[in-house]
Amino acid sequence: MNRVRDISDYDRYLFHEGRHFRSYRMLGAHRVQRGCVEGVRFAVWAPHARAVSVVGDFNGWNGVDHALTRSGSSGIWELFVPGIAEGTLYKYRIEAGDGGVVDKADPYAF
């Protein structure tokens, strides 16, 4: 499991300055451990979204169960989901400001 730290205020600052040269460590899906629980931390930049959720094999592509939380006014949305295995298929379900909903591939996926 990778040693990925939480997104800091400094990470957000550098990202918005266009000087976060390792944003791939901050955004995307990363296997992490929170306490004794292993899972995946999802993070995506969607500054104009009304809502964001993660959908995939692990939840039957259901856009209700795993809603991400907006991180202040940064435009970054985050969520930790326990128990997801490496290689699990997923996308972000984004509700735009105009109410339209679209499933998008993770631009930071690897």
Side-chain angles (χ1 to χ4, degrees):
M1 178 168 330
N2 295 333
R3 293 288 175 203
V4 176
R5 59 182 174 77
D6 287 337
I7 300 171
S8 70
D9 289 338
Y10 188 60
D11 286 320
R12 289 181 191 89
Y13 169 77
L14 289 175
F15 181 74
H16 287 290
E17 288 287 309
R19 297 184 301 127
H20 200 303
F21 302 119
R22 291 186 176 94
S23 58
Y24 60 89
R25 292 183 180 172
M26 176 179 75
L27 299 175
H30 296 278
R31 290 183 45 84
V32 297
Q33 187 166 335
R34 296 270 168 95
C36 296
V37 179
E38 292 184 8
V40 174
R41 185 198 70 209
F42 294 94
V44 65
W45 186 62
H48 303 295
R50 186 181 296 171
V52 179
S53 60
V54 65
V55 298
D57 289 342
F58 61 94
N59 67 6
W61 300 89
N62 174 347
V64 177
D65 292 341
H66 294 98
L68 282 73
T69 302
R70 183 190 304 258
S71 179
S73 62
S74 69
I76 297 172
W77 297 74
E78 300 177 70
L79 177 68
F80 173 74
V81 181
I84 296 180
E86 190 169 332
T88 300
L89 299 178
Y90 73 95
K91 288 187 177 187
Y92 294 110
R93 181 159 295 162
I94 299 174
E95 181 183 342
D98 65 2
V101 177
V102 63
D103 289 352
K104 300 288 275 185
D106 186 345
Y108 283 91
F110 49 91

